[in-house]
Amino acid sequence: MKKFINDPADVVAQSLRGLAAAHPELRVEVEEGYIVRAGAPQPGKVALVSGGGSGHEPLHGGFVGPGMLDAACPGEVFTSPVPDQILAATKAADGGAGVVHIVKNYTGDVMNFQLAGELAGEEGISVETVLVDDDVAVEDSTWTAGRRGTGATLLVEKITGARAEEGGKLGEVAALGREVNAASGSFAYALTAVTTPAAGRPGFDLPADEIEAGVGIHGEPGRRREKWRPAKELVRSALDAILTAKSFSGPVIVLVNGLGATPLIELYLIYGEVAAHLEERGVTIARQLVGNYVTSLDMAGMSVTLCQATDEMIRLWDAPVRTPGLRWGA
Amino acid sequence: MKKFINDPADVVAQSLRGLAAAHPELRVEVEEGYIVRAGAPQPGKVALVSGGGSGHEPLHGGFVGPGMLDAACPGEVFTSPVPDQILAATKAADGGAGVVHIVKNYTGDVMNFQLAGELAGEEGISVETVLVDDDVAVEDSTWTAGRRGTGATLLVEKITGARAEEGGKLGEVAALGREVNAASGSFAYALTAVTTPAAGRPGFDLPADEIEAGVGIHGEPGRRREKWRPAKELVRSALDAILTAKSFSGPVIVLVNGLGATPLIELYLIYGEVAAHLEERGVTIARQLVGNYVTSLDMAGMSVTLCQATDEMIRLWDAPVRTPGLRWGA
Amino acid sequence: MDAALARDWMRAAAEAIAAGADGLTRLDSAIGDGDHGVNLHRGFTAVVAALEKSPPETVSEVLVKSGATLMSRVGGASGPLYGSALRAAGKALPATPEVQPADLVTALRAGLAAVRKLGGAAAGDKTLIDAYGPAVDAFEEAVAGGADLAGAAGAAARAAQAGAEATVPLQARKGRASYLGERSIGHQDPGAASTSLIFGALAEVA
Amino acid sequence: MDAALARDWMRAAAEAIAAGADGLTRLDSAIGDGDHGVNLHRGFTAVVAALEKSPPETVSEVLVKSGATLMSRVGGASGPLYGSALRAAGKALPATPEVQPADLVTALRAGLAAVRKLGGAAAGDKTLIDAYGPAVDAFEEAVAGGADLAGAAGAAARAAQAGAEATVPLQARKGRASYLGERSIGHQDPGAASTSLIFGALAEVA
Ligand SMILES: Nc1ncnc2c1ncn2[C@@H]1O[C@H](COP(=O)(O)OP(=O)(O)O)[C@@H](O)[C@H]1O
Ligand SMILES: Nc1ncnc2c1ncn2[C@@H]1O[C@H](COP(=O)(O)OP(=O)(O)O)[C@@H](O)[C@H]1O
Ligand SMILES: [Mg+2]
Ligand SMILES: [Mg+2]
Ligand SMILES: [Mg+2]
Ligand SMILES: [Mg+2]
């Protein structure tokens, strides 16, 4: 395994130290394990806290800042954060108006946030949880862990972040987050497996002409293995999966997201195919974002996310945001 | 070779189509091969035009917009653009106040821009050329092709872009660009080779415990092959190389740049090491940027660039910029 | 069982996890995200350190402290699950220096209930419950049959191992492996494997 | 040589480049960026199309049009270099339907001078000049010795190939390969190899 690290056991903390040095507008508590806006808490503002395993950067730490998250708590690589650090981040962010936990639907994330939420409640902080489960590759069923949270996390964080910034109340911000999630669907393909620093070897072997369809963002194999196909066909299949699982009629926000090692030249090519296919199907695109945002270390792969957007969502999408990973209007 | 493409021969054009769809604020001329701000030309403003082979995205097309480039011309992957397209971009950008060509020092880029500059001159457009050659891995010598242009290109484009935006005259903007370049040094390491769509196989084989030191951004091997070492040591060697080749005393702008497939978690870790080492050596950091900006398709690797910055350069660095790849203050 | 033996159990579990970490990670790479060995290794190392720093005087406290430490240091799915299992088990024990095998039956059941409640998984979902459940049954049966701690622990360890191995043909319905659907079939569940190691450690020291 | 033969030369060159593209790319992968074969293949395909679309009537025009097409379609280092070589060669020829071997000596020399001027490389820098230079010398010598076009072209082709092979032990001082320093030693220069193919094509049709 070759990576730019010193010690596999200390990657997250050392990376956080670099993040702290690079972004003085953030307060990074390396020992306690959270990142919060330098001026937090903001009295009277509903605070947004997210988190999850590390290795998905810029998600979540790179989305802390005006117009998006108030705090983020990164766990070890691909490992949900522990309740203590979620609690610490929640307390650091809480400005008295309550805290929204934005949680990707993974058993570990759900349980750790739940435990932290209970602890926060005991300390008198009102916590609402928004669960993100947009990955249509996984069947939605109450008998299983349900769908994973992937690309839509960015949309939920951006849109609720804007609403919280302009004074949205706790219940309203959380409801909006759930609405964005419900309106979103994602599908991903991987071309390569990923090597976590701790494991030191790829999670699976993938022959030179095969790809994984329906992968998540933790280096796990996908729902099925397929032969490589041209981008046009992969995009068509991904959009089929999304449009079958969720019905879209109005304008959509599109995220073409790289899983880490897919270059922009390919991501833009993919976006071109997405735009062409959606036009064919009569789905109009209101807004779009192309880049590496919700990643899986250095996995070569991509996900497409569609969110059927209301006018309000689009207005909030356009609102200023100033974070290391996403920035406009400010 | 697995990539998200349709046809190896048509990657650049198809990617440009996606770029056009994703960024209506740009005018993308796919056939003629250039990208220009939607409102170009801006009468009376010195125009900045850059270009080079594709595969370095967001460089250069992603840096077209207010506060940075007026136009960019992407060649085939890792292949300098042809004079015709450089000329077309130059004409599309020229607002009557002259055009600065920002050219990375590669034989192909230099010759094609030179020929285009002569053609533009024949059409009455004043062209000044700023040659970027910051890569200290290559010895500077008049007997060879000299040093390559790498990470400093972003600094030259950002800083001269800001000066041109606020009304800088042709000679002055070009002189500033040369000053930024002269004040900059870069050094890069690669952990993997890169596969161009056309070649279909990696440019070289790299054993699991070896890295290439002193690589460029075209997938070529580096100056020497080394055993993998911890990030701390690689950073020390890179900074040694830069600080030996160029003398730095005052505040610097630091760019920690990923070559495409190196995840942010590693880039921030690297930045942490850079900040620590520079502090040890008494070099103060005025500004810093961490991310994938001057890439080599999906090469796993990183470069460090230092630029000894004047107050004026820092002021211009801070000025608003609004491009797909770099955005702040706007 | 006294507090010293309970501490020995946790230490032996830590050693077994350390020795088996690579194997657990390999299992988790096949159907999960490849961190289970590292997660538990980090957690049990912290447990041993916490117990050494200020050794609790009752079995109950040993288990509660171990559970709380796992909860605060592991993360992922296994941290809260193992954390609340040990915490619930400890809380179900009397605060006496020594506890009897029958007390441990109650404690282990309380731990299992906590895992079920927090994770919502049932037997056959291909989770650590598929090793934990049979282990508790075997422990209880042995105690009912008059076995001492060593005998009951041995029976539990064998049942846990058999339960872990029996997860191979199952399709996962909970946890990360469930995302693989049918592709989760044919691999042992990493959490069931680590549960088997922890019961094995108990049999070793009892 | 008449215009038809000149067009045949370009067509044969295009075929040789197409057949050799993979090999050229492999050479360029070792000490460059792996695009030389693709670059020239794209360029010569365009040359053949341009010559077919409106076939020029003089050798001079064939070469000027071919050079201009390479210049507009290839990019990289080789585009401007081969482009200006052919353009300069064409411009140095009389505008007659047919030209003599001695005219071609002058034309080839003009092409070489254009490459030298634009690229600034000298013999021994491990560039296409190391094949082009010896080829022109051999062509001139053969013509001086009374050889016809076929004889002179054959001599040039052999010299170009020998020159290309002789680049193997050289350390590159120009172009992309120069960035490798000593590591450029031991590999043939891709541009010299393609020059050898182009002179080979001339020998084939002459
Ligand atoms: N809902 C659940 N109930 C019981 N055990 C579970 C549940 N979800 C996951 N597990 C167990 O957790 C194990 C994975 O732990 P670990 O790899 O540490 O966490 P993560 O899945 O978050 O990476 C699985 O092998 C399984 O035994
Ligand atoms: N300054 C120069 N003078 C002459 N030939 C050169 C020079 N620089 C490069 N070349 C030739 O160009 C070839 C490379 O062409 P190509 O791969 O198409 O362009 P690039 O190097 O831009 O990728 C080299 O092998 C060499 O023969
Ligand atoms: Mg995990
Ligand atoms: Mg090239
Ligand atoms: Mg796991
Ligand atoms: Mg080349």
Side-chain angles (χ1 to χ4, degrees):
Chain A
M1 172 190 56
K2 283 179 292 186
K3 291 181 183 294
F4 292 111
I5 61 175
N6 297 307
D7 171 6
D10 203 26
V11 171
V12 173
Q14 294 191 12
S15 183
L16 286 178
R17 268 180 221 116
L19 181 75
H23 293 288
E25 75 277 18
L26 302 177
R27 182 154 61 81
V28 181
E29 296 291 344
V30 178
E31 294 310 318
E32 292 197 71
Y34 66 86
I35 299 153
V36 66
R37 299 191 204 172
Q42 255 175 278
K45 175 186 171 297
V46 168
L48 301 192
V49 175
S50 192
S54 290
H56 309 303
E57 292 71 25
L59 187 87
H60 301 272
F63 295 152
V64 174
M68 219 159 162
L69 300 179
D70 293 85
C73 26
E76 288 301 314
V77 172
F78 293 168
T79 303
S80 330
V82 299
D84 309 39
Q85 72 188 108
I86 303 173
L87 178 63
T90 301
K91 287 159 77 173
D94 178 43
V99 177
V100 177
H101 282 177
I102 299 173
V103 182
K104 301 192 295 304
N105 187 31
Y106 300 100
T107 307
D109 290 35
V110 169
M111 293 189 302
N112 285 287
F113 269 95
Q114 179 190 322
L115 293 166
E118 288 166 10
L119 296 172
E122 286 167 19
E123 301 203 20
I125 302 174
S126 311
V127 173
E128 286 273 351
T129 300
V130 174
L131 202 65
V132 184
D133 62 346
D134 55 311
D135 183 1
V136 303
V138 177
E139 277 147 64
D140 198 10
S141 149
T142 48
W143 299 106
T144 67
R147 287 181 169 149
R148 292 175 286 219
T150 61
T153 318
L154 180 148
L155 281 82
V156 171
E157 294 180 358
K158 170 67 186 83
I159 291 170
T160 59
R163 187 71 195 100
E165 212 68 52
E166 63 183 30
K169 296 278 160 282
L170 180 62
E172 182 197 334
V173 173
L176 176 64
R178 290 180 197 119
E179 199 191 331
V180 172
N181 175 61
S184 300
S186 300
F187 193 93
Y189 284 101
L191 304 184
T192 62
V194 68
T195 301
T196 60
R201 58 184 108 72
F204 50 86
D205 292 318
L206 202 50
D209 61 340
E210 289 185 7
I211 63 176
E212 290 279 341
V215 294
I217 54 173
H218 296 85
E220 64 269 50
R223 294 293 285 192
R224 51 179 190 280
R225 191 162 282 192
E226 298 181 353
K227 288 278 168 212
W228 178 90
R229 290 179 290 150
K232 196 185 212 48
E233 294 178 29
L234 294 178
V235 164
R236 190 184 297 268
S237 298
L239 292 177
D240 275 347
I242 298 170
L243 296 171
T244 305
K246 306 224 168 179
S247 60
F248 289 90
S249 58
V252 293
I253 301 177
V254 178
L255 169 63
V256 167
N257 174 60
L259 294 185
T262 288
L264 279 176
I265 194 170
E266 293 177 41
L267 293 180
Y268 276 116
L269 187 151
I270 290 163
Y271 181 72
E273 298 294 350
V274 170
H277 285 309
L278 287 181
E279 189 173 345
E280 259 177 44
R281 285 166 175 261
V283 178
T284 47
I285 299 176
R287 296 292 183 274
Q288 65 281 331
L289 185 67
V290 179
N292 285 284
Y293 293 105
V294 181
T295 63
S296 183
L297 289 175
D298 49 3
M299 182 174 255
M302 65 90 173
S303 63
V304 180
T305 301
L306 303 186
C307 170
Q308 164 124 14
T310 61
D311 288 350
E312 173 73 349
M313 289 180 200
I314 294 170
R315 182 183 71 76
L316 293 166
W317 177 260
D318 289 342
V321 58
R322 201 173 76 220
T323 72
L326 205 66
R327 184 161 180 166
W328 56 69
Chain B
M1 173 190 54
K2 284 180 292 188
K3 292 182 183 291
F4 292 110
I5 60 175
N6 296 307
D7 170 4
D10 203 26
V11 171
V12 173
Q14 293 192 13
S15 182
L16 286 178
R17 270 181 218 114
L19 181 75
H23 294 286
E25 74 276 17
L26 302 177
R27 182 154 61 83
V28 181
E29 297 291 345
V30 178
E31 294 310 318
E32 291 196 73
Y34 67 87
I35 300 153
V36 67
R37 298 190 203 174
Q42 255 175 277
K45 176 184 169 300
V46 169
L48 301 193
V49 176
S50 192
S54 290
H56 309 302
E57 292 69 24
L59 189 86
H60 301 273
F63 294 151
V64 174
M68 221 159 160
L69 299 179
D70 293 84
C73 25
E76 289 300 315
V77 172
F78 294 167
T79 303
S80 330
V82 300
D84 308 39
Q85 71 187 110
I86 303 173
L87 177 64
T90 301
K91 286 159 78 173
D94 178 43
V99 178
V100 177
H101 281 176
I102 300 173
V103 182
K104 302 193 294 306
N105 187 32
Y106 300 100
T107 307
D109 290 35
V110 169
M111 292 189 302
N112 285 287
F113 269 94
Q114 179 191 322
L115 293 166
E118 287 165 11
L119 296 172
E122 285 166 20
E123 302 203 21
I125 302 174
S126 311
V127 173
E128 284 274 349
T129 300
V130 174
L131 200 66
V132 184
D133 62 348
D134 55 312
D135 183 359
V136 303
V138 178
E139 278 147 64
D140 196 11
S141 148
T142 47
W143 299 106
T144 68
R147 288 181 168 147
R148 293 175 286 221
T150 61
T153 318
L154 180 148
L155 280 82
V156 170
E157 293 180 0
K158 169 68 187 80
I159 291 171
T160 58
R163 187 71 194 102
E165 212 68 52
E166 63 183 29
K169 296 276 160 284
L170 179 61
E172 183 196 336
V173 172
L176 175 64
R178 289 177 200 123
E179 200 190 332
V180 172
N181 175 61
S184 301
S186 300
F187 193 94
Y189 284 100
L191 304 184
T192 62
V194 69
T195 301
T196 60
R201 58 183 107 75
F204 49 87
D205 292 318
L206 201 49
D209 61 340
E210 289 186 5
I211 63 176
E212 290 278 343
V215 294
I217 53 173
H218 296 86
E220 64 267 51
R223 292 294 283 195
R224 52 180 189 278
R225 191 163 282 192
E226 297 181 355
K227 287 282 168 210
W228 179 88
R229 289 179 292 150
K232 196 185 213 45
E233 293 177 29
L234 294 178
V235 164
R236 189 185 297 269
S237 298
L239 291 178
D240 275 347
I242 297 169
L243 295 172
T244 304
K246 304 222 168 180
S247 59
F248 288 90
S249 58
V252 292
I253 301 176
V254 178
L255 169 63
V256 167
N257 173 60
L259 294 185
T262 288
L264 279 177
I265 194 169
E266 293 177 40
L267 294 180
Y268 276 117
L269 188 150
I270 290 163
Y271 181 72
E273 298 294 351
V274 169
H277 284 309
L278 287 181
E279 190 176 343
E280 257 178 45
R281 285 165 176 265
V283 178
T284 47
I285 299 177
R287 296 293 183 273
Q288 65 281 331
L289 185 68
V290 179
N292 286 282
Y293 292 105
V294 181
T295 64
S296 182
L297 289 174
D298 49 4
M299 182 174 257
M302 64 90 174
S303 63
V304 179
T305 301
L306 303 186
C307 170
Q308 164 124 13
T310 61
D311 288 350
E312 174 73 350
M313 290 179 198
I314 294 171
R315 181 182 73 76
L316 293 166
W317 177 258
D318 289 342
V321 57
R322 201 172 77 218
T323 71
L326 205 67
R327 184 160 179 167
W328 56 69
Chain C
M1 180 185 271
D2 61 8
L5 184 60
R7 293 200 301 269
D8 284 348
W9 176 22
M10 290 299 109
R11 207 162 16 234
E15 278 163 20
I17 296 285
D22 269 11
L24 295 175
T25 288
R26 233 186 322 264
L27 292 178
D28 197 33
S29 291
I31 56 170
D33 57 353
D35 60 358
H36 189 55
V38 178
N39 285 348
L40 287 192
H41 183 43
R42 180 175 61 246
F44 274 93
T45 305
V47 164
V48 170
L51 295 179
E52 265 169 20
K53 205 173 153 208
S54 56
E57 299 293 315
T58 65
V59 178
S60 166
E61 284 171 77
V62 170
L63 298 189
V64 169
K65 179 169 239 168
S66 299
T69 304
L70 291 179
M71 190 86 98
S72 312
R73 297 300 297 273
V74 175
S78 55
L81 291 170
Y82 277 123
S84 45
L86 286 177
R87 232 166 39 166
K91 284 189 179 162
L93 285 174
T96 49
E98 209 162 325
V99 297
Q100 299 310 311
D103 298 327
L104 287 172
V105 171
T106 313
L108 291 172
R109 284 248 167 266
L112 182 57
V115 169
R116 283 219 179 93
K117 177 152 180 263
L118 187 59
D125 282 355
K126 194 170 185 138
T127 70
L128 58 87
I129 287 177
D130 293 325
Y132 195 174
V136 181
D137 291 346
F139 192 96
E140 178 165 34
E141 208 181 313
V143 170
D148 64 357
L149 179 62
R158 284 188 298 277
Q161 195 183 332
E165 279 162 15
T167 62
V168 173
L170 300 177
Q171 174 167 340
R173 278 190 299 257
K174 291 285 170 179
R176 219 174 264 291
S178 69
Y179 304 135
L180 270 74
E182 295 184 354
R183 290 180 80 184
S184 64
I185 294 172
H187 301 272
Q188 188 170 153
D189 177 63
S194 59
T195 293
S196 163
L197 292 179
I198 294 168
F199 277 101
L202 178 59
E204 198 187 306
V205 300
Chain D
M1 180 185 272
D2 62 7
L5 183 62
R7 293 200 300 270
D8 285 346
W9 175 23
M10 290 298 110
R11 207 164 15 238
E15 280 163 21
I17 295 285
D22 269 10
L24 294 175
T25 287
R26 231 185 326 262
L27 292 179
D28 197 32
S29 290
I31 55 170
D33 58 351
D35 61 356
H36 189 57
V38 178
N39 285 348
L40 287 193
H41 182 43
R42 181 175 61 246
F44 274 93
T45 305
V47 164
V48 170
L51 294 180
E52 264 166 22
K53 206 174 153 206
S54 57
E57 300 292 315
T58 66
V59 178
S60 166
E61 283 171 75
V62 169
L63 298 189
V64 168
K65 180 170 238 170
S66 300
T69 304
L70 291 180
M71 189 87 96
S72 310
R73 298 299 295 274
V74 175
S78 55
L81 290 170
Y82 278 124
S84 46
L86 286 177
R87 230 164 43 164
K91 286 190 179 161
L93 286 172
T96 49
E98 208 163 324
V99 298
Q100 300 310 311
D103 298 325
L104 286 173
V105 170
T106 312
L108 290 173
R109 283 246 167 268
L112 182 58
V115 169
R116 283 222 178 92
K117 176 151 180 265
L118 188 58
D125 283 354
K126 194 170 187 137
T127 70
L128 59 86
I129 287 176
D130 294 323
Y132 195 173
V136 182
D137 290 345
F139 193 97
E140 179 165 31
E141 206 181 315
V143 171
D148 62 359
L149 179 60
R158 282 187 299 278
Q161 195 183 333
E165 281 162 14
T167 62
V168 174
L170 299 178
Q171 173 167 342
R173 277 191 298 255
K174 290 286 170 181
R176 222 173 262 291
S178 70
Y179 305 135
L180 269 75
E182 294 183 354
R183 291 180 79 185
S184 64
I185 292 171
H187 301 272
Q188 188 171 153
D189 176 64
S194 60
T195 293
S196 163
L197 293 178
I198 295 167
F199 276 101
L202 179 59
E204 198 186 306
V205 300

